[in-house]
Coordinates of all heavy atoms in Angstrom, one line a residue:
M1 N -305.3 -200.6 -156.7 CA -305.3 -199.2 -157.1 C -305.0 -198.3 -155.9 O -304.2 -197.5 -155.9 CB -306.6 -198.8 -157.8 CG -306.6 -199.2 -159.3 SD -305.2 -198.5 -160.1 CE -305.7 -198.6 -161.8
A2 N -305.8 -198.6 -154.8 CA -305.7 -197.8 -153.6 C -304.3 -197.9 -153.0 O -303.7 -197.0 -152.5 CB -306.7 -198.2 -152.6
A3 N -303.8 -199.2 -153.1 CA -302.4 -199.4 -152.5 C -301.4 -198.6 -153.3 O -300.5 -198.1 -152.7 CB -302.1 -200.9 -152.6
L4 N -301.6 -198.5 -154.6 CA -300.6 -197.8 -155.4 C -300.6 -196.3 -155.0 O -299.6 -195.7 -154.9 CB -300.9 -198.0 -156.9 CG -299.8 -197.6 -157.8 CD1 -298.7 -198.6 -157.7 CD2 -300.4 -197.7 -159.3
G5 N -301.8 -195.8 -154.8 CA -302.0 -194.4 -154.4 C -301.3 -194.1 -153.1 O -300.6 -193.1 -153.0
A6 N -301.5 -195.0 -152.2 CA -300.8 -194.8 -150.8 C -299.3 -194.9 -151.0 O -298.6 -194.1 -150.3 CB -301.3 -196.0 -149.9
F7 N -298.8 -195.7 -151.9 CA -297.4 -195.8 -152.1 C -296.8 -194.5 -152.6 O -295.8 -194.0 -152.1 CB -297.1 -196.9 -153.1 CG -295.6 -197.0 -153.4 CD1 -294.7 -197.6 -152.5 CD2 -295.1 -196.6 -154.6 CE1 -293.4 -197.7 -152.8 CE2 -293.8 -196.7 -154.9 CZ -292.9 -197.2 -154.0
H8 N -297.5 -193.9 -153.5 CA -297.0 -192.6 -154.1 C -297.1 -191.5 -153.0 O -296.2 -190.7 -152.9 CB -297.9 -192.2 -155.3 CG -297.5 -192.9 -156.5 ND1 -296.3 -192.6 -157.1 CD2 -298.1 -193.8 -157.3 CE1 -296.2 -193.4 -158.2 NE2 -297.3 -194.1 -158.3
W9 N -298.1 -191.6 -152.2 CA -298.3 -190.6 -151.1 C -297.1 -190.7 -150.1 O -296.5 -189.7 -149.7 CB -299.6 -190.8 -150.4 CG -299.9 -189.8 -149.4 CD1 -300.5 -188.5 -149.7 CD2 -299.7 -189.9 -148.0 NE1 -300.6 -187.9 -148.5 CE2 -300.2 -188.6 -147.5 CE3 -299.3 -190.9 -147.2 CZ2 -300.1 -188.4 -146.1 CZ3 -299.2 -190.6 -145.8 CH2 -299.7 -189.4 -145.3
M10 N -296.7 -191.9 -149.8 CA -295.6 -192.2 -148.9 C -294.3 -191.7 -149.5 O -293.5 -191.1 -148.8 CB -295.5 -193.7 -148.6 CG -296.2 -194.0 -147.3 SD -296.3 -195.8 -147.0 CE -294.6 -196.3 -147.0
Q11 N -294.2 -191.9 -150.8 CA -293.0 -191.5 -151.5 C -292.8 -190.0 -151.4 O -291.7 -189.4 -151.1 CB -293.0 -191.9 -152.9 CG -291.7 -192.3 -153.5 CD -291.9 -192.9 -154.9 OE1 -292.8 -192.7 -155.6 NE2 -290.9 -193.7 -155.3
T12 N -293.9 -189.3 -151.6 CA -294.0 -187.8 -151.5 C -293.6 -187.3 -150.1 O -292.8 -186.4 -150.0 CB -295.4 -187.3 -151.9 OG1 -295.7 -187.8 -153.1 CG2 -295.4 -185.8 -152.0
C13 N -294.1 -188.0 -149.1 CA -293.8 -187.7 -147.7 C -292.3 -187.8 -147.5 O -291.7 -187.0 -146.8 CB -294.5 -188.6 -146.8 SG -296.2 -188.0 -146.5
M14 N -291.7 -188.9 -148.0 CA -290.3 -189.2 -147.8 C -289.4 -188.1 -148.4 O -288.5 -187.6 -147.7 CB -289.9 -190.6 -148.4 CG -290.4 -191.8 -147.7 SD -289.6 -192.0 -146.1 CE -288.1 -192.8 -146.7
I15 N -289.8 -187.7 -149.6 CA -289.0 -186.7 -150.3 C -289.1 -185.3 -149.5 O -288.1 -184.7 -149.3 CB -289.5 -186.5 -151.7 CG1 -289.1 -187.7 -152.5 CG2 -288.9 -185.2 -152.3 CD1 -289.9 -187.9 -153.8
L16 N -290.3 -185.0 -149.0 CA -290.5 -183.8 -148.2 C -289.6 -183.8 -146.9 O -289.0 -182.9 -146.6 CB -292.0 -183.6 -147.8 CG -292.8 -182.9 -148.9 CD1 -294.3 -182.9 -148.4 CD2 -292.4 -181.5 -149.0
L17 N -289.7 -185.0 -146.3 CA -288.9 -185.1 -145.0 C -287.4 -184.9 -145.3 O -286.7 -184.3 -144.5 CB -289.1 -186.5 -144.4 CG -290.4 -186.6 -143.5 CD1 -290.6 -188.0 -143.1 CD2 -290.2 -185.7 -142.3
L18 N -286.9 -185.5 -146.4 CA -285.5 -185.4 -146.7 C -285.1 -183.9 -146.9 O -284.1 -183.5 -146.5 CB -285.2 -186.2 -148.0 CG -285.1 -187.7 -147.7 CD1 -284.9 -188.4 -149.1 CD2 -283.9 -188.0 -146.8
C19 N -286.0 -183.2 -147.6 CA -285.7 -181.8 -147.9 C -285.7 -181.0 -146.6 O -284.9 -180.1 -146.4 CB -286.8 -181.2 -148.8 SG -286.6 -181.9 -150.5
L20 N -286.7 -181.3 -145.7 CA -286.8 -180.5 -144.5 C -285.7 -180.8 -143.5 O -285.5 -180.0 -142.6 CB -288.2 -180.8 -143.8 CG -289.4 -180.2 -144.6 CD1 -290.7 -180.7 -144.0 CD2 -289.4 -178.7 -144.6
S21 N -285.1 -182.0 -143.6 CA -284.1 -182.3 -142.6 C -282.7 -181.8 -142.9 O -281.7 -182.1 -142.3 CB -284.0 -183.8 -142.4 OG -283.6 -184.4 -143.6
E22 N -282.6 -180.9 -144.0 CA -281.3 -180.3 -144.3 C -280.9 -179.5 -143.1 O -281.7 -178.8 -142.5 CB -281.5 -179.3 -145.5 CG -281.7 -180.0 -146.8 CD -280.3 -180.5 -147.4 OE1 -279.4 -179.7 -147.3 OE2 -280.2 -181.6 -147.8
P23 N -279.6 -179.5 -142.7 CA -279.2 -178.7 -141.6 C -279.2 -177.2 -141.9 O -278.4 -176.8 -142.6 CB -277.8 -179.2 -141.3 CG -277.4 -179.9 -142.6 CD -278.6 -180.3 -143.3
L24 N -280.1 -176.5 -141.3 CA -280.3 -175.1 -141.6 C -279.2 -174.2 -141.2 O -278.8 -173.3 -141.9 CB -281.7 -174.6 -141.1 CG -282.9 -175.1 -141.9 CD1 -284.2 -174.8 -141.2 CD2 -282.9 -174.5 -143.3
P25 N -278.7 -174.3 -139.9 CA -277.7 -173.4 -139.5 C -276.4 -173.4 -140.4 O -275.9 -172.4 -140.8 CB -277.3 -173.9 -138.1 CG -278.5 -174.6 -137.7 CD -279.1 -175.2 -138.9
A26 N -276.0 -174.6 -140.8 CA -274.9 -174.8 -141.7 C -275.2 -174.1 -143.1 O -274.3 -173.4 -143.6 CB -274.6 -176.2 -142.0
A27 N -276.4 -174.2 -143.6 CA -276.8 -173.6 -144.8 C -276.6 -172.1 -144.8 O -276.1 -171.5 -145.7 CB -278.2 -174.0 -145.2
S28 N -277.1 -171.5 -143.7 CA -277.1 -170.0 -143.6 C -275.6 -169.6 -143.4 O -275.3 -168.5 -143.9 CB -278.0 -169.5 -142.5 OG -277.4 -169.7 -141.2
Q29 N -274.8 -170.4 -142.8 CA -273.4 -170.0 -142.6 C -272.7 -170.0 -144.0 O -272.0 -169.1 -144.3 CB -272.7 -171.0 -141.7 CG -271.3 -170.5 -141.4 CD -270.7 -171.3 -140.2 OE1 -271.4 -172.0 -139.5 NE2 -269.4 -171.1 -140.0
N30 N -273.1 -171.0 -144.8 CA -272.5 -171.0 -146.2 C -273.0 -169.8 -147.0 O -272.2 -169.3 -147.8 CB -272.9 -172.3 -146.9 CG -272.1 -173.5 -146.4 OD1 -271.0 -173.3 -145.9 ND2 -272.6 -174.7 -146.5
N31 N -274.2 -169.4 -146.8 CA -274.7 -168.2 -147.5 C -273.9 -167.0 -147.1 O -273.6 -166.1 -148.0 CB -276.2 -168.0 -147.2 CG -277.0 -169.0 -147.9 OD1 -276.6 -169.7 -148.8 ND2 -278.3 -169.0 -147.5
Y32 N -273.5 -166.9 -145.8 CA -272.6 -165.7 -145.4 C -271.3 -165.7 -146.1 O -270.8 -164.7 -146.5 CB -272.4 -165.7 -143.9 CG -273.6 -165.3 -143.1 CD1 -274.1 -166.0 -142.0 CD2 -274.4 -164.2 -143.5 CE1 -275.2 -165.6 -141.3 CE2 -275.5 -163.8 -142.8 CZ -275.9 -164.5 -141.7 OH -276.9 -164.1 -141.0
Y33 N -270.7 -166.9 -146.3 CA -269.5 -167.0 -147.0 C -269.6 -166.5 -148.5 O -268.8 -165.8 -149.0 CB -268.9 -168.4 -147.0 CG -268.4 -168.9 -145.7 CD1 -268.9 -169.9 -145.0 CD2 -267.3 -168.2 -145.1 CE1 -268.4 -170.4 -143.8 CE2 -266.8 -168.6 -143.9 CZ -267.4 -169.7 -143.2 OH -266.9 -170.1 -142.0
E34 N -270.8 -166.9 -149.1 CA -271.1 -166.5 -150.4 C -271.3 -165.0 -150.5 O -270.8 -164.4 -151.4 CB -272.3 -167.2 -150.9 CG -272.1 -168.2 -152.1 CD -273.3 -169.0 -152.4 OE1 -274.3 -168.4 -152.7 OE2 -273.3 -170.2 -152.2
T35 N -272.0 -164.5 -149.5 CA -272.3 -163.1 -149.5 C -271.0 -162.3 -149.4 O -270.9 -161.2 -150.1 CB -273.2 -162.7 -148.3 OG1 -274.4 -163.5 -148.3 CG2 -273.6 -161.3 -148.3
L36 N -270.1 -162.8 -148.6 CA -268.8 -162.0 -148.4 C -267.8 -162.4 -149.4 O -266.7 -161.9 -149.4 CB -268.3 -162.3 -147.0 CG -269.0 -161.6 -145.9 CD1 -268.8 -162.2 -144.5 CD2 -268.6 -160.1 -145.9
N37 N -268.2 -163.3 -150.4 CA -267.3 -163.7 -151.5 C -266.0 -164.2 -151.0 O -264.9 -163.9 -151.5 CB -267.1 -162.4 -152.4 CG -266.5 -162.8 -153.7 OD1 -266.7 -163.9 -154.2 ND2 -265.9 -161.8 -154.3
V38 N -266.0 -165.1 -150.0 CA -264.8 -165.8 -149.5 C -265.1 -167.3 -149.5 O -266.2 -167.8 -149.4 CB -264.4 -165.3 -148.1 CG1 -263.9 -163.9 -148.2 CG2 -265.5 -165.5 -147.1
E39 N -264.0 -168.1 -149.5 CA -264.1 -169.5 -149.3 C -264.5 -169.9 -147.8 O -264.1 -169.1 -146.9 CB -262.8 -170.2 -149.6 CG -262.3 -170.0 -151.1 CD -263.3 -170.7 -152.0 OE1 -263.8 -171.8 -151.7 OE2 -263.5 -170.2 -153.1
P40 N -265.2 -171.0 -147.6 CA -265.5 -171.4 -146.2 C -264.2 -171.6 -145.4 O -264.2 -171.6 -144.2 CB -266.2 -172.7 -146.4 CG -266.9 -172.6 -147.7 CD -265.9 -171.8 -148.6
T41 N -263.0 -171.7 -146.1 CA -261.8 -171.9 -145.4 C -261.0 -170.6 -145.1 O -259.9 -170.6 -144.5 CB -260.9 -172.9 -146.2 OG1 -260.7 -172.3 -147.5 CG2 -261.4 -174.3 -146.3
A42 N -261.6 -169.5 -145.5 CA -261.0 -168.2 -145.3 C -260.7 -167.9 -143.9 O -261.5 -168.3 -143.0 CB -261.8 -167.1 -145.9
T43 N -259.6 -167.2 -143.6 CA -259.2 -166.8 -142.3 C -260.0 -165.5 -141.9 O -260.6 -164.8 -142.8 CB -257.7 -166.5 -142.1 OG1 -257.4 -165.4 -143.0 CG2 -256.9 -167.8 -142.5
D44 N -260.0 -165.1 -140.6 CA -260.6 -163.9 -140.2 C -260.1 -162.7 -140.9 O -260.9 -161.9 -141.3 CB -260.3 -163.7 -138.7 CG -261.3 -164.5 -137.8 OD1 -262.0 -165.3 -138.3 OD2 -261.3 -164.3 -136.6
S45 N -258.8 -162.6 -141.2 CA -258.3 -161.4 -141.9 C -258.7 -161.4 -143.3 O -258.9 -160.3 -143.9 CB -256.8 -161.3 -141.7 OG -256.1 -162.3 -142.5
Q46 N -258.8 -162.6 -143.9 CA -259.3 -162.6 -145.3 C -260.8 -162.2 -145.4 O -261.2 -161.5 -146.3 CB -259.2 -164.1 -145.9 CG -257.8 -164.4 -146.3 CD -257.7 -165.9 -146.7 OE1 -258.2 -166.8 -146.1 NE2 -256.9 -166.1 -147.8
I47 N -261.5 -162.6 -144.4 CA -263.0 -162.2 -144.4 C -263.1 -160.7 -144.2 O -263.9 -160.0 -144.8 CB -263.7 -163.0 -143.3 CG1 -263.8 -164.5 -143.6 CG2 -265.1 -162.4 -143.1 CD1 -264.2 -165.4 -142.5
K48 N -262.3 -160.2 -143.3 CA -262.3 -158.7 -143.0 C -261.9 -157.9 -144.2 O -262.5 -156.9 -144.5 CB -261.4 -158.4 -141.8 CG -261.9 -158.7 -140.5 CD -261.0 -158.2 -139.4 CE -261.2 -159.1 -138.1 NZ -260.1 -158.8 -137.2
K49 N -260.9 -158.4 -144.9 CA -260.4 -157.7 -146.1 C -261.5 -157.7 -147.2 O -261.8 -156.7 -147.8 CB -259.2 -158.5 -146.7 CG -258.3 -157.6 -147.6 CD -257.0 -158.4 -147.9 CE -256.6 -158.0 -149.3 NZ -255.9 -159.1 -150.0
S50 N -262.2 -158.9 -147.4 CA -263.2 -158.9 -148.4 C -264.4 -158.1 -148.0 O -265.0 -157.4 -148.8 CB -263.7 -160.4 -148.5 OG -264.6 -160.5 -149.6
F51 N -264.7 -158.0 -146.7 CA -265.8 -157.2 -146.2 C -265.5 -155.7 -146.5 O -266.4 -155.0 -146.9 CB -265.9 -157.4 -144.6 CG -266.8 -156.4 -144.0 CD1 -268.2 -156.5 -144.1 CD2 -266.3 -155.3 -143.3 CE1 -269.0 -155.5 -143.6 CE2 -267.1 -154.3 -142.7 CZ -268.5 -154.4 -142.9
R52 N -264.3 -155.3 -146.2 CA -263.9 -153.9 -146.4 C -264.2 -153.5 -147.9 O -264.7 -152.4 -148.2 CB -262.5 -153.6 -146.0 CG -262.4 -153.2 -144.6 CD -261.1 -152.5 -144.3 NE -259.9 -153.4 -144.5 CZ -259.4 -154.2 -143.6 NH1 -259.9 -154.3 -142.4 NH2 -258.4 -155.0 -143.9
K53 N -263.7 -154.4 -148.8 CA -263.9 -154.2 -150.2 C -265.4 -154.1 -150.6 O -265.8 -153.1 -151.3 CB -263.2 -155.3 -151.0 CG -262.5 -154.9 -152.2 CD -261.6 -156.1 -152.8 CE -262.4 -156.8 -153.9 NZ -261.7 -158.0 -154.3
L54 N -266.2 -155.0 -150.1 CA -267.6 -155.0 -150.5 C -268.3 -153.9 -149.8 O -269.2 -153.2 -150.4 CB -268.2 -156.3 -150.0 CG -267.8 -157.6 -150.8 CD1 -268.2 -158.8 -150.1 CD2 -268.4 -157.5 -152.2
A55 N -267.9 -153.5 -148.5 CA -268.6 -152.5 -147.8 C -268.4 -151.1 -148.5 O -269.3 -150.3 -148.5 CB -268.0 -152.4 -146.4
M56 N -267.2 -151.0 -149.1 CA -266.9 -149.7 -149.8 C -267.8 -149.6 -151.0 O -268.3 -148.5 -151.4 CB -265.4 -149.7 -150.3 CG -264.7 -148.5 -150.0 SD -263.2 -148.7 -149.2 CE -262.2 -149.4 -150.5
K57 N -268.0 -150.8 -151.7 CA -268.9 -150.8 -152.9 C -270.3 -150.5 -152.6 O -271.0 -149.9 -153.3 CB -268.6 -152.1 -153.6 CG -269.3 -152.2 -155.0 CD -268.9 -153.5 -155.7 CE -269.9 -153.7 -156.9 NZ -269.6 -155.0 -157.5
Y58 N -270.8 -151.1 -151.5 CA -272.2 -151.1 -151.2 C -272.6 -150.2 -150.1 O -273.8 -150.1 -149.7 CB -272.7 -152.5 -150.9 CG -272.6 -153.5 -152.1 CD1 -271.6 -154.5 -152.1 CD2 -273.5 -153.4 -153.1 CE1 -271.5 -155.3 -153.2 CE2 -273.4 -154.2 -154.2 CZ -272.4 -155.2 -154.2 OH -272.3 -156.0 -155.3
H59 N -271.7 -149.4 -149.6 CA -272.0 -148.5 -148.5 C -273.1 -147.5 -149.0 O -273.0 -146.9 -150.0 CB -270.8 -147.7 -148.0 CG -271.0 -147.1 -146.7 ND1 -271.8 -145.9 -146.6 CD2 -270.7 -147.4 -145.4 CE1 -271.8 -145.6 -145.3 NE2 -271.2 -146.5 -144.6
P60 N -274.2 -147.3 -148.1 CA -275.3 -146.4 -148.5 C -274.8 -145.0 -148.9 O -275.5 -144.3 -149.7 CB -276.2 -146.4 -147.3 CG -275.9 -147.7 -146.6 CD -274.4 -148.0 -146.8
D61 N -273.7 -144.5 -148.3 CA -273.2 -143.2 -148.7 C -272.6 -143.2 -150.1 O -272.5 -142.2 -150.7 CB -272.1 -142.8 -147.7 CG -272.6 -142.3 -146.4 OD1 -273.9 -142.2 -146.3 OD2 -271.9 -142.2 -145.4
K62 N -272.1 -144.4 -150.5 CA -271.4 -144.5 -151.8 C -272.4 -144.9 -152.9 O -272.2 -144.6 -154.1 CB -270.2 -145.4 -151.8 CG -269.2 -145.0 -150.8 CD -267.8 -145.0 -151.5 CE -266.8 -144.1 -150.8 NZ -266.2 -144.7 -149.7
N63 N -273.3 -145.8 -152.6 CA -274.1 -146.4 -153.5 C -275.6 -146.1 -153.2 O -276.1 -146.5 -152.2 CB -273.9 -148.0 -153.5 CG -274.4 -148.7 -154.7 OD1 -275.5 -148.3 -155.2 ND2 -273.7 -149.6 -155.2
K64 N -276.2 -145.4 -154.1 CA -277.6 -144.9 -153.8 C -278.7 -146.0 -154.2 O -279.8 -145.7 -153.9 CB -277.8 -143.7 -154.6 CG -277.0 -142.5 -154.2 CD -277.2 -142.1 -152.8 CE -276.2 -141.1 -152.3 NZ -276.0 -141.1 -150.8
S65 N -278.3 -147.1 -154.8 CA -279.4 -148.1 -155.1 C -279.9 -148.7 -153.9 O -279.2 -149.0 -152.9 CB -278.9 -149.1 -156.1 OG -278.6 -150.3 -155.5
T66 N -281.2 -149.0 -153.9 CA -281.9 -149.6 -152.7 C -281.3 -151.0 -152.5 O -281.3 -151.5 -151.4 CB -283.4 -149.7 -152.8 OG1 -283.7 -149.9 -154.1 CG2 -284.0 -148.4 -152.3
D67 N -281.0 -151.7 -153.6 CA -280.4 -153.0 -153.5 C -279.1 -153.0 -152.7 O -278.8 -153.9 -151.9 CB -280.1 -153.5 -154.9 CG -281.2 -154.4 -155.4 OD1 -282.3 -154.4 -154.8 OD2 -281.0 -155.0 -156.5
A68 N -278.4 -151.9 -152.9 CA -277.0 -151.8 -152.3 C -277.2 -151.8 -150.8 O -276.4 -152.4 -150.0 CB -276.3 -150.6 -152.8
E69 N -278.2 -151.1 -150.3 CA -278.4 -151.0 -148.8 C -278.7 -152.3 -148.2 O -278.2 -152.7 -147.2 CB -279.5 -150.0 -148.5 CG -279.5 -149.5 -147.1 CD -280.8 -148.7 -146.8 OE1 -281.3 -148.0 -147.6 OE2 -281.3 -149.0 -145.7
K70 N -279.5 -153.1 -149.0 CA -279.8 -154.5 -148.5 C -278.6 -155.4 -148.5 O -278.3 -156.1 -147.5 CB -280.9 -155.1 -149.4 CG -281.5 -156.3 -149.0 CD -282.7 -156.7 -149.8 CE -283.0 -158.1 -149.9 NZ -282.2 -158.8 -151.0
T71 N -277.8 -155.3 -149.6 CA -276.5 -156.0 -149.6 C -275.6 -155.6 -148.5 O -274.9 -156.5 -147.9 CB -275.9 -155.8 -151.0 OG1 -276.8 -156.1 -152.0 CG2 -274.7 -156.8 -151.2
F72 N -275.5 -154.3 -148.3 CA -274.6 -153.8 -147.2 C -275.0 -154.4 -145.9 O -274.1 -154.9 -145.1 CB -274.7 -152.3 -147.1 CG -273.7 -151.7 -146.1 CD1 -272.4 -151.7 -146.4 CD2 -274.2 -151.3 -144.9 CE1 -271.5 -151.2 -145.5 CE2 -273.3 -150.8 -144.0 CZ -271.9 -150.7 -144.3
R73 N -276.3 -154.5 -145.6 CA -276.7 -155.1 -144.3 C -276.4 -156.6 -144.3 O -276.0 -157.1 -143.2 CB -278.3 -154.9 -144.2 CG -278.7 -153.8 -143.3 CD -280.1 -154.0 -142.8 NE -281.0 -154.1 -143.8 CZ -281.7 -153.1 -144.4 NH1 -281.4 -151.9 -144.0 NH2 -282.6 -153.3 -145.3
E74 N -276.5 -157.2 -145.4 CA -276.2 -158.7 -145.4 C -274.7 -158.9 -145.2 O -274.3 -159.9 -144.5 CB -276.6 -159.3 -146.8 CG -278.1 -159.7 -146.8 CD -278.6 -160.0 -148.1 OE1 -277.8 -160.2 -149.1 OE2 -279.8 -160.1 -148.3
I75 N -273.8 -158.1 -145.8 CA -272.4 -158.4 -145.6 C -272.0 -158.0 -144.2 O -271.1 -158.7 -143.6 CB -271.5 -157.7 -146.7 CG1 -271.7 -156.2 -146.7 CG2 -271.7 -158.3 -148.1 CD1 -270.8 -155.4 -147.6
A76 N -272.6 -157.0 -143.6 CA -272.3 -156.6 -142.2 C -272.7 -157.7 -141.3 O -272.0 -158.1 -140.4 CB -273.0 -155.3 -141.9
E77 N -273.9 -158.3 -141.6 CA -274.4 -159.4 -140.7 C -273.5 -160.6 -140.9 O -273.1 -161.2 -139.9 CB -275.8 -159.7 -141.2 CG -276.6 -160.6 -140.3 CD -277.9 -160.9 -140.9 OE1 -278.6 -160.0 -141.3 OE2 -278.3 -162.1 -140.9
G78 N -273.1 -160.9 -142.1 CA -272.2 -162.0 -142.4 C -270.8 -161.9 -141.7 O -270.3 -162.8 -141.1
K79 N -270.3 -160.7 -141.7 CA -269.0 -160.5 -141.1 C -269.1 -160.7 -139.6 O -268.3 -161.3 -139.0 CB -268.5 -159.1 -141.4 CG -267.2 -158.7 -140.7 CD -266.7 -157.3 -141.0 CE -265.7 -156.8 -140.0 NZ -266.3 -156.2 -138.8
H80 N -270.2 -160.1 -139.0 CA -270.4 -160.2 -137.6 C -270.6 -161.7 -137.2 O -270.1 -162.1 -136.1 CB -271.7 -159.5 -137.3 CG -272.0 -159.4 -135.8 ND1 -271.4 -158.6 -135.0 CD2 -272.9 -160.1 -135.0 CE1 -271.9 -158.7 -133.7 NE2 -272.8 -159.7 -133.8
F81 N -271.2 -162.5 -138.1 CA -271.4 -163.9 -137.8 C -270.2 -164.7 -138.0 O -270.0 -165.7 -137.2 CB -272.5 -164.4 -138.8 CG -273.0 -165.7 -138.5 CD1 -274.1 -165.9 -137.6 CD2 -272.5 -166.8 -139.2 CE1 -274.5 -167.2 -137.3 CE2 -273.0 -168.1 -138.9 CZ -274.0 -168.3 -138.0
L82 N -269.3 -164.4 -138.9 CA -268.2 -165.3 -139.3 C -266.9 -164.9 -138.6 O -266.0 -165.7 -138.4 CB -268.0 -165.2 -140.8 CG -269.1 -165.8 -141.7 CD1 -268.7 -165.6 -143.1 CD2 -269.4 -167.2 -141.3
V83 N -266.7 -163.6 -138.2 CA -265.5 -163.2 -137.6 C -265.6 -163.1 -136.1 O -266.5 -162.5 -135.6 CB -265.0 -161.8 -138.2 CG1 -263.7 -161.4 -137.5 CG2 -264.8 -161.9 -139.7
N84 N -264.7 -163.8 -135.4 CA -264.8 -163.8 -133.9 C -263.8 -162.7 -133.4 O -262.6 -162.8 -133.6 CB -264.4 -165.1 -133.4 CG -265.3 -166.2 -133.9 OD1 -266.5 -166.2 -133.8 ND2 -264.7 -167.2 -134.6
F85 N -264.4 -161.8 -132.7 CA -263.5 -160.8 -132.1 C -263.2 -161.2 -130.6 O -264.0 -161.8 -130.0 CB -264.2 -159.4 -132.1 CG -264.2 -158.8 -133.4 CD1 -265.3 -158.8 -134.2 CD2 -263.0 -158.2 -133.9 CE1 -265.2 -158.3 -135.5 CE2 -263.0 -157.7 -135.2 CZ -264.1 -157.7 -136.0
Ligands
NAG101 C1 -274.2 -150.4 -156.4 O1 -275.0 -151.6 -156.1 C2 -275.4 -152.3 -157.2 C3 -276.3 -153.5 -156.7 O2 -276.9 -153.3 -155.4 C4 -274.2 -152.9 -157.9 O3 -274.6 -153.7 -159.0 C5 -273.3 -151.7 -158.3 O4 -272.2 -152.3 -158.9 C6 -273.0 -150.8 -157.2 N1 -272.3 -149.6 -157.6 C7 -271.0 -149.4 -157.4 C8 -270.5 -148.1 -157.9 O5 -270.3 -150.2 -156.9

């Protein structure tokens, strides 16, 4: 019985380790592509174009919702991260 309990405990540990070992930087980069609504294969100019479109929609001057300000910050951050000047 005790051996069986230990086995389950080990299995739980293994699953946790697998989840924690996900490469985090890659994941956040993919989120930026999603935020900017472009494919990971998009070129700099495609990213800039999509950014301008989204920035116009979510700019705090144009969109008064608090959500929009947060989204605007995210797309600005994403563009900064993905486009190399
Ligand atoms: C303003 O932002 C909200 C969400 O933050 C969005 O759903 C809405 O479409 C935006 N409004 C305009 C006019 O684009």
